[in-house]
């Protein structure tokens, strides 16, 4: 048996009437070793095929998950649009780049009336407001993006508007955007002021 894995057969052949000996060497494959090699190749091929099938299944699962997330995101956005359009209060969503990603019709009409701007999704929020309000609004945007819920009031064209800021968190507890709900509280504050005046008058009478 040779080191190369072959069987070597040596035949001694003597030439008649001479003192010369000839040796005929024949090599044959080791059938046991050959069978082992074939079995190993079959096993490697099966493992490779199994890995290929698993890879295809993984890719298919990822594609299905991606499609599900896209459809779910569209569904949520559609439901949100339906819900916010059903209210008379102006509501918008601003992302961490200060751009409008969504707003309802009431918000669009309010901005058109107050600022004379026809909003489009993707517009930069700070570019759509007057210069004198940009510094204050940027502070409010950054505060909302830091994860804080708060209320701010601003005066526009003689009417007072209350802005409700609510951050939107991802599954990783990071703020990716925030909502701003704008409510005209001019009449409410006026009624409260009149009610307080009536109370003072009644107290003075009593």
């Amino acid at each position: 048996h040779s080191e190369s894995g072959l069987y070597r057969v040596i035949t001694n052949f003597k030439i008649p009437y001479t003192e010369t000996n000839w040796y005929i060497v024949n090599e044959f494959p080791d059938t046991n070793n050959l069978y082992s090699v074939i079995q190993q190749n079959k096993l490697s091929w099966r493992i490779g095929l199994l890995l290929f099938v698993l890879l295809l299944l993984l890719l298919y699962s990822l594609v299905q998950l991606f499609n599900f997330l896209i459809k779910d995101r569209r569904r949520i956005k559609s439901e949100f649009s339906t819900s916010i359009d059903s209210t008379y209060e102006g509501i918008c969503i601003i992302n961490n780049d200060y751009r409008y990603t969504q707003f309802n019709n009431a918000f669009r009409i309010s901005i058109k009336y107050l600022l004379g701007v026809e909003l489009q999704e993707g517009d930069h929020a700070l570019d759509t407001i007057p210069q004198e309000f940009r510094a204050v609004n940027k502070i409010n945007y950054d505060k909302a993006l830091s994860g804080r819920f708060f209320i701010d009031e601003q005066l526009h064209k003689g009417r007072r508007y209350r802005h409700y800021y609510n951050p939107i968190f991802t599954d990783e507890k990071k703020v990716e955007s925030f909502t701003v709900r704008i409510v005209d509280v001019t009449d409410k504050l006026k009624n409260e002021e009149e009610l307080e005046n009536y109370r003072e008058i009644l107290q003075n009478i009593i």
Side-chain angles (χ1 to χ4, degrees):
H1 193 276
S2 65
E3 295 180 356
S4 60
L6 299 175
Y7 278 110
R8 180 175 297 170
V9 179
I10 303 175
T11 305
N12 185 6
F13 179 73
K14 185 175 182 180
I15 300 176
Y17 307 106
T18 66
E19 298 296 329
T20 304
N21 288 329
W22 288 56
Y23 296 92
I24 300 176
V25 180
N26 294 298
E27 291 185 342
F28 303 92
D30 184 348
T31 55
N32 292 328
N33 186 52
L34 180 61
Y35 177 78
S36 177
V37 171
I38 293 174
Q39 291 300 107
Q40 289 179 1
N41 289 337
K42 286 184 178 180
L43 180 61
S44 298
W45 181 83
R46 289 174 181 171
I47 293 175
L49 179 61
L50 178 61
L51 291 176
F52 179 71
V53 172
L54 290 176
L55 179 61
L56 288 180
L57 290 175
L58 177 61
L59 290 176
Y60 176 78
S61 300
L62 290 176
V63 170
Q64 291 296 103
L65 177 61
F66 178 77
N67 290 335
F68 171 78
L69 292 176
I70 292 297
K71 291 179 181 179
D72 191 58
R73 188 177 184 88
R74 289 174 180 173
R75 178 186 60 80
I76 293 174
K77 185 175 181 179
S78 176
E79 291 177 355
F80 179 79
S81 298
T82 303
S83 63
I84 65 176
D85 279 333
S86 63
T87 177
Y88 65 91
E89 298 174 349
I91 301 175
C92 72
I93 298 179
I94 300 175
N95 64 15
N96 49 19
D97 291 324
Y98 309 126
R99 294 190 179 278
Y100 293 107
T101 60
Q102 202 169 352
F103 48 81
N104 64 355
N105 194 48
F107 184 84
R108 182 185 63 80
I109 294 175
S110 297
I111 296 299
K112 178 68 175 178
Y113 168 73
L114 294 172
L115 307 179
V117 177
E118 190 67 47
L119 279 185
Q120 300 290 335
E121 288 189 4
D123 286 348
H124 199 286
L126 294 175
D127 292 340
T128 60
I129 59 179
Q131 185 67 38
E132 60 267 25
F133 294 108
R134 291 182 183 178
V136 174
N137 278 33
K138 186 178 185 304
I139 292 174
N140 290 337
Y141 295 169
D142 291 338
K143 188 187 297 185
L145 288 171
S146 69
R148 297 178 60 182
F149 299 80
F150 64 97
I151 301 172
D152 178 57
E153 287 188 7
Q154 294 183 10
L155 186 65
H156 294 277
K157 293 186 176 182
R159 299 192 69 83
R160 185 162 293 278
Y161 294 88
R162 189 167 291 170
H163 298 183
Y164 296 82
Y165 290 85
N166 296 278
I168 299 175
F169 294 88
T170 64
D171 293 337
E172 292 76 22
K173 307 301 180 183
K174 295 181 180 180
V175 180
E176 63 176 2
S177 56
F178 60 93
T179 64
V180 183
R181 181 166 60 95
I182 301 179
V183 181
D184 186 345
V185 294
T186 306
D187 296 335
K188 179 177 180 295
L189 294 177
K190 183 178 180 181
N191 292 335
E192 289 177 354
E193 183 180 355
E194 290 179 353
L195 181 60
E196 184 64 26
N197 291 335
Y198 288 141
R199 287 177 179 173
E200 291 180 359
I201 293 175
L202 289 176
Q203 287 178 354
N204 292 331
I205 294 176
I206 295 175

